[in-house]
């Protein structure tokens, strides 16, 4: 039986922002209803312990996010939420104190990615206030993400914009160093107890119109992760935001049958041979981050 370290459940396909780095979904706008959410958890229970409210959409737009957290706790799951953080003021009471909620990931790069954003300091400080209270009172983890770096270190406008955010972080956490001195790409920098900063390069969502690579390589899809979109479509990873690699619908077929099905098995076994069998995967730049070292064979 396959088990996954990360299982992504898209609880809504709707977002309140229009960020340049996140293509708008062409799928129908939906919110996952509690009864369907229960069914998903029952289906994946033998396969995962940790779930992520994330693929596309903004989870804090869901009017019943607190109910979904309660159901997750009832079913024995720990939850991680990825959010742009702009709706915290409306949802604090739905999040704080929920025993299922393990971690929140705040995409701080959403501010500069969304045209028309205003009051960067007010936005960042509100996220930090929440993260501090959540850590202090409830032991929750927070990851502050700036996933917008580029290779250009000389004229990188985004690095200058990020410096504004880093100034706020250094002040709010009374750091006695400049964050750039400690920065390691892809690694979390501890700012305070249970609060971390993560910086990385922006990645492109894979799409079929991109150029294919050589078709060799490895990915953790269907090994360490899988997901389900708001309409029940099972996908192999969190980057298939349009359900291109549709493995089946969890409301129509048992999940165990779907992940052991012909298409999923062909994809899984292909990666074991370092062969990329799905077209979307051959056009995924994020996959190219993984090494081809033998130790990944049984990952």
């Amino acid at each position: 039986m396959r088990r996954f370290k990360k299982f992504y459940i898209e609880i809504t396909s709707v977002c309140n922002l229009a960020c340049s780095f996140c293509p708008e979904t062409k799928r129908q706008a939906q919110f996952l209803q509690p009864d369907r959410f229960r069914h998903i958890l029952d289906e994946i229970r033998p396969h995962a312990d940790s779930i992520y409210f994330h693929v596309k959409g903004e989870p804090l737009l869901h009017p019943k996010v607190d109910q979904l957290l309660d159901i997750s706790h009832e079913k024995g799951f720990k939850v991680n939420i990825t959010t742009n953080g702009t709706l915290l003021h409306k949802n604090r009471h739905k999040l704080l104190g929920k025993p299922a909620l393990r971690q929140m990931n705040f995409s701080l790069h959403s501010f500069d990615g969304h045209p028309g954003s205003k009051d960067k300091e007010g936005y960042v400080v509100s996220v930090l206030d929440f993260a501090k209270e959540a850590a202090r009172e409830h032991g929750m983890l927070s990851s502050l993400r700036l996933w917008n770096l580029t290779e250009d270190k000389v004229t990188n406008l985004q690095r200058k914009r990020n410096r504004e955010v880093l100034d706020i972080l250094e002040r709010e956490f009374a750091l006695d160093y400049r964050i750039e001195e400690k920065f390691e790409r892809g690694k979390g920098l501890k700012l305070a107890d249970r609060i971390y900063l993560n910086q990385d390069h922006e990645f492109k969502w894979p799409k079929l119109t991109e150029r294919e690579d050589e078709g060799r390589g490895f990915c953790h899809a269907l090994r360490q992760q899988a997901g389900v979109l708001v309409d029940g479509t099972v996908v192999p990873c969190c980057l298939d935001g349009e359900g291109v690699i549709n493995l089946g619908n969890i409301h129509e077929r048992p999940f165990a049958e779907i992940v052991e099905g012909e298409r999923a098995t062909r994809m899984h076994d292909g990666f074991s041979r370092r062969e990329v069998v799905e077209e979307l995967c051959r056009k995924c730049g994020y996959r190219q981050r993984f090494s081809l070292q033998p130790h990944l064979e049984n990952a």
Side-chain angles (χ1 to χ4, degrees):
M1 180 182 297
R2 294 183 188 172
R3 285 190 60 82
F4 305 100
K5 290 183 178 180
K6 298 181 178 180
F7 196 94
Y8 297 90
I9 301 177
E10 183 185 68
I11 65 172
T12 179
S13 56
V14 182
C15 189
N16 63 318
L17 301 184
C19 296
S20 58
F21 54 80
C22 188
E24 183 180 1
T25 180
K26 297 179 176 61
R27 296 179 286 118
Q28 180 183 356
Q30 293 186 53
F31 291 89
L32 184 61
Q33 296 305 306
D35 59 337
R36 296 200 125 200
F37 181 69
R38 283 181 180 275
H39 174 73
I40 292 172
L41 295 191
D42 287 339
E43 285 292 312
I44 70 170
R45 189 67 190 89
H47 304 272
D49 301 312
S50 181
I51 57 178
Y52 290 70
F53 289 179
H54 175 61
V55 178
K56 287 290 188 71
E58 168 51 51
L60 299 192
L61 272 176
H62 199 297
K64 298 180 180 179
V65 64
D66 51 343
Q67 292 185 35
L68 302 188
L69 287 170
D70 289 340
I71 295 170
S72 301
H73 179 61
E74 172 193 327
K75 299 289 185 180
F77 287 89
K78 289 296 183 182
V79 178
N80 306 270
I81 294 179
T82 298
T83 173
N84 57 48
T86 59
L87 301 174
L88 283 174
H89 61 291
K90 296 182 178 180
N91 289 278
R92 292 178 77 94
H93 65 290
K94 294 184 178 182
L95 302 170
L96 292 174
K98 293 296 184 182
L101 187 53
R102 172 186 173 271
Q103 177 170 323
M104 292 192 68
N105 305 312
F106 296 100
S107 299
L108 299 184
H109 47 280
S110 299
F111 187 93
D112 289 324
H114 176 71
S117 294
K118 298 179 180 179
D119 189 14
K120 180 181 288 188
E121 176 156 349
Y123 161 68
V124 174
V125 170
S126 70
V127 171
L128 299 186
D129 286 346
F130 179 91
K132 290 175 182 179
E133 181 179 352
R136 181 178 64 250
E137 303 296 334
H138 306 287
M140 195 190 81
L141 293 163
S142 289
S143 171
L144 311 173
R145 293 178 172 179
L146 285 172
W147 288 5
N148 55 9
L149 302 180
T150 72
E151 299 290 350
D152 185 351
K153 297 181 180 180
V154 178
T155 62
N156 187 350
L157 176 61
Q158 195 55 58
R159 287 180 183 270
K160 296 177 182 178
R161 289 174 175 169
N162 283 354
R163 179 34 43 200
E164 298 172 14
V165 177
L166 301 186
D167 282 339
I168 299 170
L169 297 180
E170 290 166 1
R171 182 192 72 214
E172 291 295 313
F173 291 105
L175 302 183
D176 59 0
Y177 57 85
R178 285 176 66 86
I179 288 174
E180 289 91 343
E181 298 171 3
K182 306 281 187 177
F183 167 69
E184 289 186 65
R185 180 190 164 199
K187 292 188 177 182
L189 174 65
K190 185 175 181 178
L191 302 177
D193 185 38
R194 310 186 77 78
I195 302 176
Y196 296 83
L197 171 66
N198 286 273
Q199 298 185 81
D200 210 330
H201 291 168
E202 179 181 331
F203 67 88
K204 290 185 178 181
W205 288 79
K207 53 185 178 180
L208 294 177
T209 55
E210 294 291 329
R211 187 173 62 183
E212 287 193 15
D213 61 22
E214 76 287 353
R216 299 289 298 173
F218 179 83
C219 181
H220 292 295
L222 294 178
R223 274 180 165 76
Q224 294 190 9
Q225 64 167 287
V228 59
L229 302 182
V230 68
D231 66 352
T233 299
V234 175
V235 291
C237 75
C238 64
L239 293 181
D240 188 1
E242 293 302 298
V244 173
I245 307 175
N246 184 342
L247 301 177
N249 194 292
I250 201 169
H251 301 301
E252 299 171 0
R253 294 170 55 198
F255 178 74
E257 180 182 308
I258 291 173
V259 293
E260 296 293 344
E262 180 180 351
R263 188 172 189 179
T265 299
R266 187 170 64 248
M267 182 178 178
H268 178 279
D269 293 349
F271 282 131
S272 295
R273 301 188 302 270
R274 301 299 185 271
E275 295 178 6
V276 185
V277 301
E278 288 285 346
E279 181 183 359
L280 185 68
C281 300
R282 294 194 296 271
K283 298 177 177 182
C284 178
Y286 197 81
R287 175 183 58 77
Q288 298 169 0
R289 296 187 183 191
F290 299 120
S291 76
L292 302 180
Q293 296 301 314
H295 73 272
L296 288 176
E297 185 67 39
N298 297 314

